[in-house]
Coordinates of all heavy atoms in Angstrom, one line a residue:
G6 N -7.1 1.4 29.3 CA -8.0 1.4 30.5 C -9.5 1.6 30.2 O -10.4 0.9 30.7
T7 N -9.7 2.4 29.2 CA -11.1 2.6 28.7 C -11.6 1.3 28.1 O -12.8 0.9 28.4 CB -11.2 3.7 27.6 OG1 -10.7 4.9 28.2 CG2 -12.5 3.9 27.1
G10 N -12.3 -1.3 30.9 CA -13.5 -1.0 31.6 C -14.8 -1.4 30.8 O -15.7 -1.9 31.3
K21 N -13.1 0.2 15.9 CA -13.4 0.4 14.5 C -12.2 1.1 13.8 O -11.3 1.6 14.4 CB -14.6 1.2 14.3 CG -15.9 0.5 14.8 CD -17.1 1.4 14.6 CE -18.4 0.8 15.1 NZ -19.5 1.6 14.9
G26 N -8.0 9.2 10.2 CA -7.1 8.7 9.2 C -7.7 8.4 7.9 O -7.2 8.7 6.8
L27 N -8.9 7.8 8.0 CA -9.7 7.5 6.8 C -10.0 8.8 6.0 O -10.0 8.8 4.8 CB -10.9 6.7 7.2 CG -11.7 6.0 6.0 CD1 -10.8 5.1 5.2 CD2 -12.9 5.3 6.6
V30 N -6.9 10.0 4.2 CA -6.6 9.2 3.0 C -7.6 9.5 1.9 O -7.3 9.6 0.7 CB -6.7 7.7 3.3 CG1 -6.5 6.8 2.1 CG2 -5.5 7.4 4.3
T38 N -7.2 12.5 -7.7 CA -8.3 12.4 -8.8 C -8.4 13.7 -9.5 O -8.5 13.8 -10.7 CB -9.6 11.9 -8.2 OG1 -9.4 10.7 -7.5 CG2 -10.7 11.8 -9.2
I57 N -1.0 9.5 -17.7 CA -0.9 9.5 -16.2 C -2.2 10.0 -15.6 O -2.6 9.5 -14.5 CB 0.3 10.4 -15.8 CG1 1.6 9.6 -16.3 CG2 0.3 10.7 -14.3 CD1 2.9 10.5 -16.1
I59 N -5.2 9.6 -16.8 CA -6.2 8.5 -16.9 C -5.9 7.5 -15.7 O -6.8 7.0 -15.1 CB -6.1 7.8 -18.2 CG1 -6.6 8.7 -19.4 CG2 -6.9 6.5 -18.2 CD1 -8.1 9.0 -19.3
L68 N -11.4 3.5 -8.2 CA -11.1 2.4 -7.2 C -11.1 2.9 -5.8 O -11.7 2.4 -4.9 CB -9.9 1.6 -7.6 CG -9.8 0.9 -8.9 CD1 -8.5 0.2 -9.1 CD2 -10.9 -0.2 -8.9
L70 N -11.8 6.1 -4.2 CA -12.8 6.8 -3.5 C -14.0 6.0 -3.1 O -14.5 6.1 -1.9 CB -13.3 8.0 -4.4 CG -12.3 9.2 -4.5 CD1 -12.7 10.2 -5.5 CD2 -12.0 9.8 -3.1
S99 N -15.4 -7.9 3.1 CA -16.3 -8.5 4.0 C -16.3 -10.0 3.8 O -16.8 -10.7 4.8 CB -17.7 -7.9 3.8 OG -18.1 -8.0 2.5
A107 N -10.7 -18.0 19.2 CA -10.7 -18.2 20.6 C -9.3 -17.8 21.1 O -8.3 -18.0 20.4 CB -11.0 -19.7 21.0
V119 N 6.9 -3.6 10.1 CA 6.9 -4.2 8.8 C 7.4 -3.1 7.8 O 7.0 -2.0 7.9 CB 5.5 -4.7 8.4 CG1 5.4 -5.1 7.0 CG2 5.0 -5.8 9.3
T129 N -0.2 -4.8 14.8 CA -0.5 -5.7 15.9 C -0.6 -7.1 15.2 O -1.4 -7.3 14.3 CB -1.8 -5.4 16.6 OG1 -1.6 -4.1 17.2 CG2 -2.1 -6.4 17.7
L131 N -1.2 -11.2 15.8 CA -1.7 -12.4 16.6 C -0.9 -13.6 16.1 O -1.1 -14.0 15.0 CB -3.2 -12.6 16.5 CG -4.1 -11.4 16.7 CD1 -5.5 -11.7 16.4 CD2 -3.9 -10.8 18.1
P135 N -1.1 -23.9 15.2 CA -1.2 -24.5 13.8 C -2.7 -24.7 13.5 O -3.1 -24.5 12.3 CB -0.4 -25.8 13.9 CG 0.6 -25.5 15.0 CD -0.1 -24.6 16.0
K154 N 0.6 -15.7 2.3 CA 2.0 -16.2 2.3 C 2.9 -15.0 2.5 O 3.9 -15.0 3.2 CB 2.2 -16.9 1.0 CG 3.7 -17.4 0.9 CD 4.0 -18.0 -0.4 CE 5.4 -18.5 -0.6 NZ 6.4 -17.8 0.1
R157 N 2.8 -13.9 6.1 CA 3.5 -14.8 6.9 C 5.0 -14.5 6.8 O 5.8 -14.5 7.8 CB 3.3 -16.3 6.5 CG 3.9 -17.3 7.4 CD 3.5 -18.7 6.9 NE 4.1 -19.6 7.8 CZ 3.6 -20.8 8.2 NH1 2.4 -21.1 7.8 NH2 4.3 -21.6 9.0
D161 N 7.1 -13.0 10.0 CA 8.0 -14.0 10.4 C 7.3 -15.2 11.1 O 7.7 -15.6 12.2 CB 9.0 -13.4 11.4 CG 10.4 -13.7 10.9 OD1 10.6 -14.3 9.9 OD2 11.4 -13.4 11.7
R183 N -3.1 -8.1 24.5 CA -2.1 -9.0 25.3 C -2.7 -9.2 26.7 O -2.7 -10.3 27.3 CB -0.8 -8.4 25.3 CG 0.3 -9.3 25.8 CD 1.7 -8.6 25.5 NE 2.8 -9.4 25.3 CZ 2.9 -10.7 25.2 NH1 2.0 -11.5 25.4 NH2 4.1 -11.3 25.0
R190 N -7.2 -16.7 28.5 CA -6.8 -17.9 27.7 C -7.0 -19.2 28.4 O -7.1 -19.4 29.5 CB -5.4 -17.7 27.1 CG -4.3 -17.6 28.2 CD -3.0 -17.4 27.6 NE -2.1 -17.0 28.6 CZ -0.8 -17.1 28.5 NH1 -0.3 -17.6 27.4 NH2 0.0 -16.8 29.4

Side-chain angles (χ1 to χ4, degrees):
T7 300
K21 295 181 180 179
L27 191 55
V30 173
T38 301
I57 291 171
I59 292 290
L68 296 176
L70 289 175
S99 56
V119 174
T129 298
L131 308 177
K154 182 185 177 326
R157 187 176 178 144
D161 234 4
R183 191 169 213 0
R190 62 182 167 161

